[in-house]
Amino acid sequence: MENRTARMTILIDPIKKQIFEDICAQQDLTSSQVIRRLIRQYILDHAGSRELPEWLTDAARATSKSQ
């Protein structure tokens, strides 16, 4: 698993932000949890031949088994 964190700042339309946060709350998730999941999936989908850390590919396998 990741050992460190880095901050990412994004700009988003306030209405989309509110809808996103409402949906996250309904699913008992934080917006950060959902965004991290989206980023992990994006990396897996678009990494091409790039070598990925084992913790990332293991987490993807575990997530796909639980769904």
Side-chain angles (χ1 to χ4, degrees), residues 6 10 14 17-19 21-22 24-29 33-35 38 43 46-47 53-54 57-58 63 66-67:
I10 62 166
K17 179 181 179 285
Q18 186 59 56
I19 294 168
E21 289 175 338
D22 291 346
C24 290
Q26 288 173 350
Q27 297 178 342
D28 197 28
L29 297 167
Q33 288 172 308
V34 174
I35 291 169
L38 292 168
I43 290 169
H46 302 302
E54 189 174 317
T57 54
D58 288 348
T63 300
S66 69
Q67 293 179 354

Side-chain angles (χ1 to χ4, degrees), residues 10-61:
I10 62 166
L11 299 176
I12 185 171
D13 175 273
I15 296 170
K16 288 180 195 147
K17 179 181 179 285
Q18 186 59 56
I19 294 168
F20 179 70
E21 289 175 338
D22 291 346
I23 294 168
C24 290
Q26 288 173 350
Q27 297 178 342
D28 197 28
L29 297 167
T30 66
S31 56
S32 291
Q33 288 172 308
V34 174
I35 291 169
R36 284 191 296 268
R37 184 183 300 165
L38 292 168
I39 290 172
R40 279 192 300 271
Q41 191 59 54
Y42 187 86
I43 290 169
L44 293 169
D45 291 346
H46 302 302
S49 61
R50 188 176 276 116
E51 190 171 329
L52 298 175
E54 189 174 317
W55 57 262
L56 182 62
T57 54
D58 288 348
R61 279 190 222 105

